[in-house]
């Protein structure tokens, strides 16, 4: 394929045509190691000392490129064996691979004995032994068209427990259910899942236990009017994160209202005794009982003072005949004045 430069008209991943100037006409039917025949319908035009390829796309032939949607971060513990896979898009599909390891201190070629190829993919076996073995693995592929220009990059980090979920919200609350949705944290370098434990308030009795590949849960079969404690964990093979606690309420039952049996009568509003009203009623009742006791005591004292048997004067005992008033007076005087010596009566 000797000749001048290739002139290409390109739009995105598609080429409208590629023009190649040959030194000799007999060389114009060879391109990229392939023998080409003049075929206008297939976009191959050979004329004198020029070759034109029409409708060429990147998939027709190109150097390898890294496939999308691969696992780019691998969590590996010390002395743990990990298989890191590198996949490329290549046409032709026959490729060879080269791996290097980069850390903050050095760049090292991976030994060929640790590399296995399967078609357009390659797997390297890697075992970190120290902190310096954590870094970045780079994968390059080569086919007959050329070398891969941008390598596939894979980060090797120390594996650990996942981080907590965050930004959790409670929604779709009913009397017997609710939903919780969170954002996931770092997975610790390993695939993770999520678990929720729902416990009743006060007793911490387990009401529900669910697992999910994403941090979204719908909990059913709950009691109305309670504020449940929801413990949410992130889990991988290295363990689980610390829980994040969400307080999720369920709706109360609707209040019952009494309705009249007869039509046309308005329903009566139910009366609810609040805690403050309970205290007020208790204080008023206590004061009423005390007042009744005081009134009863006062009434009893008044009734005793008004008793006629207690207010009647005592009648002195009857005097014997022949007794003189004077003698009585003297006796009364003696009783009142015990220091007076009575005088003997003299006969007349």
């Amino acid at each position: 394929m000797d000749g001048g430069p290739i002139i290409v008209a390109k739009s995105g991943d598609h080429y409208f045509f590629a023009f190649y100037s040959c030194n000799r006409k007999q060389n114009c039917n060879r391109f990229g190691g392939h023998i080409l025949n003049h075929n206008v319908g297939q976009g191959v035009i050979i004329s004198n000392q020029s070759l034109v390829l029409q409708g060429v796309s990147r998939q027709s032939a190109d150097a390898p490129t890294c496939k999308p949607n691969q696992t780019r971060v691998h969590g590996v513990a010390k002395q743990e064996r990990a298989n890191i896979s590198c996949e490329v898009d290549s046409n032709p599909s026959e490729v060879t691979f080269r791996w290097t390891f980069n850390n903050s201190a050095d760049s090292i070629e991976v030994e060929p004995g640790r590399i296995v190829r399967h078609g357009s993919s390659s797997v390297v076996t890697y075992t970190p032994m120290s902190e310096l073995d954590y870094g970045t693995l780079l994968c390059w592929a080569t086919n007959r068209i050329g070398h891969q220009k941008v390598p596939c990059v894979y980060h090797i980090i120390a594996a650990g427990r996942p981080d907590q979920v965050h930004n959790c919200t409670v929604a779709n609350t009913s009397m017997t259910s609710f939903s919780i949705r969170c954002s996931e944290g770092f997975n610790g370098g390993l695939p993770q899942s999520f678990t929720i434990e729902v416990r009743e308030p006060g007793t911490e009795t387990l009401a529900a236990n669910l697992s999910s590949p994403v941090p979204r849960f719908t909990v059913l079969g709950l009691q109305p009017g309670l504020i449940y404690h929801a413990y949410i964990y992130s889990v991988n093979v290295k363990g689980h994160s610390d829980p994040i606690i969400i307080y999720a309420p369920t709706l109360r039952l609707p209040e019952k209202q009494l309705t009249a049996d007869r039509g046309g009568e308005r329903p009566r509003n139910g009366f609810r005794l609040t805690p403050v009203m309970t205290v007020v009623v208790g204080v008023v009742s206590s004061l009423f009982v005390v007042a009744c006791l005081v009134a009863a005591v006062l009434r009893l004292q008044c009734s005793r003072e008004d008793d006629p048997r207690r207010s009647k004067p005592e009648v002195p005992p009857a005097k014997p005949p022949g007794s003189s008033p004077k003698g009585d007076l003297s006796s009364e005087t003696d009783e009142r004045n015990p220091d007076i010596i009575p005088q003997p009566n003299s006969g007349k």
Side-chain angles (χ1 to χ4, degrees), residues 129-196:
M129 302 300 293
S130 67
E131 296 295 335
L132 293 177
D133 294 329
Y134 292 101
T136 304
L137 281 171
L138 304 178
C139 166
W140 281 274
T142 303
N143 64 9
R144 288 180 298 176
I145 304 301
H147 300 285
Q148 182 175 345
K149 296 178 178 61
V150 179
C152 302
V153 181
Y154 305 94
H155 300 283
I156 309 301
I157 65 172
R161 299 187 306 163
D163 291 345
Q164 289 179 315
V165 297
H166 56 278
N167 295 337
C168 295
T169 56
V170 181
N172 301 326
T173 302
S174 70
M175 289 185 292
T176 59
S177 66
F178 58 76
S179 298
I180 294 181
R181 182 171 185 169
C182 305
S183 299
E184 60 185 62
F186 177 60
N187 60 7
L190 297 167
Q192 66 177 343
S193 60
F194 305 90
T195 300
I196 184 172

Side-chain angles (χ1 to χ4, degrees), residues 71-78 80-84 126 128 133-135 154-161 186-191 236-238:
T71 302
R72 302 291 183 172
V73 179
H74 297 265
V76 187
K78 288 182 181 179
E80 179 183 1
R81 180 177 177 178
N83 293 323
I84 313 301
Y126 191 78
D133 294 329
Y134 292 101
Y154 305 94
H155 300 283
I156 309 301
I157 65 172
R161 299 187 306 163
F186 177 60
N187 60 7
L190 297 167
N236 65 15
V237 295
K238 299 298 181 182

Side-chain angles (χ1 to χ4, degrees), residues 62-246:
D62 203 351
T65 57
C66 193
K67 272 190 177 181
N69 303 323
Q70 298 186 65
T71 302
R72 302 291 183 172
V73 179
H74 297 265
V76 187
K78 288 182 181 179
Q79 301 182 0
E80 179 183 1
R81 180 177 177 178
N83 293 323
I84 313 301
S85 177
C86 171
E87 299 181 66
V88 297
D89 289 321
S90 176
N91 187 13
S93 60
E94 290 295 323
V95 292
T96 59
F97 287 91
R98 179 173 66 93
W99 289 78
T100 63
F101 173 78
N102 292 345
N103 59 19
S104 58
D106 202 357
S107 178
I108 305 171
E109 288 280 340
V110 178
E111 299 174 1
R114 297 165 59 183
I115 302 173
V116 178
R117 184 180 69 85
H118 301 283
S120 59
S121 67
S122 174
V123 177
V124 64
T125 301
Y126 191 78
T127 305
M129 302 300 293
S130 67
E131 296 295 335
L132 293 177
D133 294 329
Y134 292 101
T136 304
L137 281 171
L138 304 178
C139 166
W140 281 274
T142 303
N143 64 9
R144 288 180 298 176
I145 304 301
H147 300 285
Q148 182 175 345
K149 296 178 178 61
V150 179
C152 302
V153 181
Y154 305 94
H155 300 283
I156 309 301
I157 65 172
R161 299 187 306 163
D163 291 345
Q164 289 179 315
V165 297
H166 56 278
N167 295 337
C168 295
T169 56
V170 181
N172 301 326
T173 302
S174 70
M175 289 185 292
T176 59
S177 66
F178 58 76
S179 298
I180 294 181
R181 182 171 185 169
C182 305
S183 299
E184 60 185 62
F186 177 60
N187 60 7
L190 297 167
Q192 66 177 343
S193 60
F194 305 90
T195 300
I196 184 172
E197 294 179 358
V198 180
R199 297 185 179 273
E200 295 181 359
T203 62
E204 290 296 315
T205 302
L206 185 64
N209 189 349
L210 303 173
S211 296
S212 173
V214 292
R216 291 190 289 271
F217 306 93
T218 298
V219 185
L220 306 173
L222 303 174
Q223 297 296 322
L226 296 180
I227 301 177
Y228 285 90
H229 301 171
Y231 298 81
I232 303 175
Y233 301 85
S234 305
V235 183
N236 65 15
V237 295
K238 299 298 181 182
H240 61 76
S241 68
D242 294 331
I244 183 171
I245 304 175
I246 304 297

Side-chain angles (χ1 to χ4, degrees), residues 249-295:
T250 53
L251 299 180
R252 295 181 179 180
L253 290 171
E255 297 181 1
K256 296 182 180 180
Q257 295 182 346
L258 299 177
T259 56
D261 294 335
R262 298 179 181 179
E265 185 177 353
R266 290 185 177 180
R268 299 177 181 178
N269 294 327
F271 177 75
R272 296 181 61 191
L273 191 63
T274 63
V276 176
M277 295 177 62
T278 303
V279 174
V280 173
V281 171
V283 172
V284 172
S285 301
S286 301
L287 293 176
F288 178 75
V289 171
V290 172
C292 291
L293 292 176
V294 172

